[in-house]
Amino acid sequence: MNANVCKETTLRDVAEAAGVSMATVSRSLNDSTLIPESTRRRVRVVADQLGFEFNAHARSLITRRVGTIGIILPPDYDRFGVQMYHGTLHNALRSVLECNDIDLIVAFLTNHFSGRNNIKKLVSRKKVDGLIIVQPVIDRDLIEFLRSKEIPFVFSHYPPPEECPADVDIIYPDNELGGLLAARHLVSIGRSRILCIGAKGDRPHHREWDLRMEGVHRGLKEAGVVPGPENELRGDMTIESGYNLVMSKRATLRDYDGIIALNDLMAIGAILAAREIGVSIPDDLAVVGYDDTDLAAAMRPSLTAVHQPREELSLVTCERLLELVRSRHAGPPPRSSVRRPVQAARRIVLSPRLVVRDSTKVVAGS
């Protein structure tokens, strides 16, 4: 038997066969822009011919990359409605990362049992090359920690708080535009007596709900409709909440011809209550939800909803983070006394769209 059959091909073997240094091989296989494309292409061909597998351990030793991205889930992820939306967002993020041959670690910001900060643990143990942080609050101390460790990170989904520092990357949907689309749609089909269902409480992540409601108010005011406090209810984002809120209006529900609920679950609860009261959907009462989760299309009647751009959000978030990761590892490791300059942060706002279904479609002549 040939003695070389079981010999594992090394980075040095590829370097010798290609006639370049080991550092050039490493950077070529990591698509560093410091290496000409012709050289990168030639090195990849040689690596493939030799059957070289650039594994995570070798990658970590040579480029300080481990090939893993961390996703930090929102604090109330275990709530049904939050899990439904963020579960699909997480799946989309995972698909994009896997297409780039990158593994992922999923964690909450803090350990539910010990209270320890999971981000600091992941970074200190060198488990991740970068982080996608799905959190409504941006902690300046945590940002400084990540900067000191030179770990790239991107905040995703939640709109930045008003006091948000300017030097962080944030990618999120335009919640105010979503509310505006919902209001304009109801007005366009002749509805003017609108009941709005938002979120109660003042937790930090309610900023997205406040922005949605601001958009609704803006759309109604455009049509000369001034929403009063009696036409605005606040729920806890569940089906039961939407149901109970509409049932509390049973005596006056027929005074309304439209409902905007700022998530799908409360919209579904509103439809169930309206049915029980004997109000027809959509002939008497048109209903619009928000998020466009899988339940929206499955509901009967199917629910018109503002579609969150989950797929685009996932793609843009991953692209930005991978850009930061590759930029960090493109050149030789910086000397301990020299800090690598931080790329200019980006704030990217994505547009939602309205998906019209049966809950706002009135048959002509009815």
Side-chain angles (χ1 to χ4, degrees):
M1 179 181 294
N2 189 324
N4 291 326
V5 170
C6 297
K7 180 179 179 294
E8 181 178 351
T9 303
T10 66
L11 197 72
R12 186 181 300 278
D13 295 330
V14 178
E16 290 177 353
V20 296
S21 68
M22 292 173 61
T24 297
V25 172
S26 172
R27 292 172 190 159
S28 295
L29 296 179
N30 277 290
D31 288 325
S32 169
T33 55
L34 296 178
I35 306 299
E37 173 58 28
S38 58
T39 302
R40 281 182 275 164
R41 190 182 305 115
R42 179 164 57 86
V43 168
R44 286 195 292 267
V45 169
V46 171
D48 289 341
Q49 290 174 343
L50 295 178
F52 176 69
E53 178 66 29
F54 200 38
N55 59 48
H57 176 63
R59 177 164 42 193
S60 176
L61 291 175
I62 301 301
T63 70
R64 299 186 299 161
R65 288 176 64 177
V66 295
T68 302
I69 295 298
I71 298 178
I72 306 302
L73 296 175
D76 51 358
Y77 182 80
D78 53 353
R79 289 172 60 105
F80 173 65
V82 177
Q83 189 177 82
M84 174 171 291
Y85 171 77
H86 283 285
T88 57
L89 177 62
H90 166 239
N91 288 338
L93 288 169
R94 182 186 64 194
S95 296
V96 175
L97 292 173
E98 288 181 345
C99 285
N100 284 272
D101 196 26
I102 292 174
D103 299 324
L104 68 156
I105 294 176
V106 179
F108 289 97
L109 180 62
T110 56
N111 184 296
H112 288 170
F113 297 97
S114 68
R116 291 184 59 189
N117 187 296
N118 282 324
I119 289 181
K120 291 185 176 181
K121 182 178 73 173
L122 290 172
V123 171
S124 298
R125 294 182 181 180
K126 296 180 171 56
K127 295 285 189 181
V128 294
D129 294 314
L131 292 164
I132 295 172
I133 305 174
V134 189
Q135 292 288 316
V137 177
I138 298 177
D139 186 330
R140 188 72 208 190
D141 290 339
L142 182 59
I143 291 172
E144 289 304 319
F145 169 79
L146 294 173
R147 295 280 193 222
S148 70
K149 299 296 184 180
E150 294 190 320
I151 296 295
F153 61 93
V154 175
F155 284 88
S156 184
H157 172 72
Y158 288 103
E162 293 179 355
E163 68 280 6
C164 175
D167 59 344
V168 296
D169 286 87
I170 310 175
I171 301 167
Y172 60 98
D174 189 334
N175 288 276
E176 185 174 354
L177 175 59
L180 179 65
L181 293 174
R184 284 176 173 172
H185 174 62
L186 285 187
V187 169
S188 73
I189 61 172
R191 308 303 169 104
S192 59
R193 304 185 308 278
I194 313 298
L195 180 64
C196 303
I197 303 178
K200 62 183 178 182
D202 56 359
R203 289 184 293 174
H205 66 275
H206 284 166
R207 176 165 167 72
E208 63 179 326
W209 294 78
D210 293 340
L211 290 170
R212 293 175 190 181
M213 191 63 79
E214 288 176 15
V216 170
H217 289 171
R218 180 177 151 200
L220 295 179
K221 288 177 182 177
E222 284 180 353
V225 178
V226 180
E230 70 280 3
N231 299 327
E232 188 173 308
L233 304 175
R234 298 277 177 169
D236 64 6
M237 301 173 280
T238 64
I239 292 176
E240 182 179 15
S241 174
Y243 173 87
N244 289 335
L245 288 172
V246 171
M247 290 301 288
S248 72
K249 287 278 191 179
R250 66 182 306 157
T252 58
L253 188 62
R254 295 182 187 277
D255 294 338
Y256 298 97
D257 57 13
I259 290 179
I260 298 174
L262 298 185
N263 81 341
D264 289 348
L265 296 186
M266 291 195 297
I268 290 170
I271 289 175
L272 296 176
R275 279 179 176 170
E276 189 169 321
I277 294 170
V279 173
S280 174
I281 308 292
D283 299 299
D284 300 326
L285 191 66
V287 180
V288 179
Y290 204 112
D291 287 336
D292 194 27
T293 57
D294 291 342
L295 284 180
M299 183 65 184
R300 291 296 177 269
S302 57
L303 178 64
T304 292
V306 176
H307 177 80
Q308 293 270 47
R310 293 184 292 271
E311 297 79 7
E312 185 183 4
L313 178 66
S314 302
L315 180 61
V316 175
T317 297
C318 291
E319 283 181 342
R320 178 55 178 160
L321 182 62
L322 294 179
E323 179 185 2
L324 294 172
V325 170
R326 287 165 181 156
S327 174
R328 178 195 173 202
H329 295 287
R335 295 178 180 177
S336 58
S337 60
V338 180
R339 289 289 298 276
R340 187 187 301 278
V342 178
Q343 286 193 12
R346 297 179 188 173
R347 190 164 295 187
I348 301 174
V349 185
L350 304 176
S351 297
R353 59 185 172 85
L354 188 76
V355 178
V356 178
R357 298 193 180 94
D358 293 341
S359 66
T360 61
K361 287 182 179 177
V362 179
V363 179
S366 62

